[in-house]
Amino acid sequence: MKKKSIITRVLTVIALGLLLFTTTSASGAGSPARNKTVASEPNNLEWDKTFPQSNKVTVEKVSYTNRLGIKIVADMYLPKNINKSKKSRAIIVGPPFSGVKEQTAGLYAQEMAERGFVTLAFDPSYTGESGGQPRNIALPDTLVEDFSAAVDFLGTRPFVDRNRIGVIGVCASGGFAVSAAQIDPRLKAIATVSMYDMGRANREGLGFAPVPSEIMTEEERTKALEEAAEQRWIDFESGQIKYGPGSAVELKPSQQAAAQEFSEYYGTPRGYHPRSMPYSMTSTGALMNFFPFAKIETISQRPILFIAGENAHSRYYSEDAYKLAAEPKELYIVPGAGHVDLYDRMEYIPFKKLESFFKKNLEKK
């Protein structure tokens, strides 16, 4: 296979989806009653997740609308022994970039529900079964809003204590969750796993921090923005959105290695799901203008736990955010783990650490 073909395929994987499939998601604004629980589909459907179903929890598909009127579809996981006459602690789980609730986010939600929490794994706006047009575009402000909308929903459940809601953001959702916590004090405890700063990733290029010579130059950033801007005219005139990343800037070796790691999850039965699709090329500009840690110190006095793999190519995002954050904060490095290992490798994911963190910090005051 020619080098250019390999790079094109790898770039598509970076967008975390496969271009060979078309989206089957519902779209459009949701119902006017934002606080109404709506069963999107019967709850006895065939299991459609990338992870095994637990017999210790129940899962209910629900929908609600965010502040922008976009319908969000989510899976709510409940411990089977839950006492709904009492108020429970709850955790929101956000997926990796362009991921859906049937993948990593659902795995985390199910596991934390086994440990006694009410949990919610959602499809972000424009993604998966959630609404929004056009499909599969990345608007950072909207992706941040989706976390607050999840708080709106969980906090109005009669069996949830609205003063004890936490969040787990995996990969890109780590950055979106941190950004949401800066403006939404209802998020009482924040944990990130394999966190990505999608703004920085688009400004500098996906890759390993210890290779400064492979960070995107100003000229390369300009090329990427020009390519995305040119694509806007094409999308506008044709009415057909182009999905996946551009090709104006060729991947460097460290970036190819990072992309290969993603392909081992999203491009194989291990993590592939047909509703997990690449975002539009024209998302580049909005992402480059995203700075999720600009006011991270304002989250204090609420605790933040940063979890990263020892060998993760993304480790530096968590380390740099940890330095910027105010106390209380903790950086937890998982021995031997890479970035994607923390998506689904149960031997690496520190669920006991997450459980103790949230039980301690979501206690009744």
Side-chain angles (χ1 to χ4, degrees), residues 141-163:
D141 286 352
T142 304
L143 297 174
V144 169
E145 155 61 24
D146 288 341
F147 284 90
S148 288
V151 180
D152 296 341
F153 173 77
L154 281 176
T156 53
R157 300 312 96 197
F159 48 86
V160 169
D161 186 340
R162 64 171 56 182
N163 295 312

Side-chain angles (χ1 to χ4, degrees), residues 29-241:
S31 65
R34 291 190 58 222
N35 64 345
K36 183 179 180 181
T37 306
V38 179
S40 300
E41 299 180 41
N43 292 318
N44 59 353
L45 293 178
E46 182 180 351
W47 189 251
D48 62 348
K49 323 299 183 190
T50 61
F51 52 90
Q53 185 173 14
S54 170
N55 61 6
K56 298 178 182 179
V57 306
T58 60
V59 59
E60 178 183 356
K61 186 173 287 189
V62 300
S63 67
Y64 50 92
T65 58
N66 67 15
R67 189 172 60 90
L68 305 176
I70 298 171
K71 184 176 77 171
I72 303 298
V73 178
D75 287 331
M76 182 168 60
Y77 292 80
L78 304 173
K80 275 196 173 176
N81 62 353
I82 188 172
N83 183 350
K84 287 193 173 184
S85 66
K86 295 183 179 180
K87 299 282 190 178
S88 297
R89 292 170 289 203
I91 298 173
I92 298 157
V93 186
F97 195 60
S98 82
V100 291
K101 62 187 180 303
E102 290 78 15
Q103 299 166 315
T104 298
L107 172 64
Y108 273 75
Q110 178 175 263
E111 182 68 23
M112 295 307 288
E114 283 191 2
R115 295 165 187 266
F117 300 89
V118 173
T119 62
L120 189 78
F122 65 90
D123 285 340
S125 295
Y126 312 106
T127 306
E129 294 183 302
S130 287
Q133 287 285 358
R135 303 304 300 158
N136 300 97
I137 59 171
L139 293 175
D141 286 352
T142 304
L143 297 174
V144 169
E145 155 61 24
D146 288 341
F147 284 90
S148 288
V151 180
D152 296 341
F153 173 77
L154 281 176
T156 53
R157 300 312 96 197
F159 48 86
V160 169
D161 186 340
R162 64 171 56 182
N163 295 312
R164 294 194 294 163
I165 298 175
V167 62
I168 299 173
V170 184
C171 191
S173 278
F176 298 135
V178 166
S179 184
Q182 293 171 40
I183 57 174
D184 195 336
R186 300 174 302 169
L187 289 166
K188 301 300 185 183
I190 300 92
T192 71
V193 181
S194 289
M195 182 173 63
Y196 244 78
D197 174 346
M198 290 307 300
R200 185 175 175 183
N202 277 268
R203 291 188 296 272
E204 296 184 356
L206 180 72
F208 295 86
V211 190
S213 63
E214 296 190 1
I215 292 175
M216 287 174 66
T217 64
E218 189 63 41
E219 180 182 5
E220 288 173 324
R221 281 191 289 274
T222 299
K223 284 183 180 180
L225 285 172
E226 287 176 345
E227 182 183 32
E230 288 291 327
Q231 187 62 41
R232 289 182 64 113
W233 274 318
I234 298 171
D235 289 356
F236 184 83
E237 290 179 331
S238 70
Q240 300 296 316
I241 307 299

Side-chain angles (χ1 to χ4, degrees), residues 247-282:
S247 57
V249 179
E250 189 171 283
L251 286 183
K252 300 176 176 67
S254 71
Q255 298 164 346
Q256 291 185 36
Q260 179 59 37
E261 186 180 1
F262 286 124
S263 74
E264 291 167 3
Y265 179 78
Y266 289 99
T268 68
R270 173 185 167 193
Y272 169 75
H273 195 280
R275 287 193 292 270
S276 178
M277 299 289 292
Y279 282 127
S280 68
M281 182 192 294
T282 58

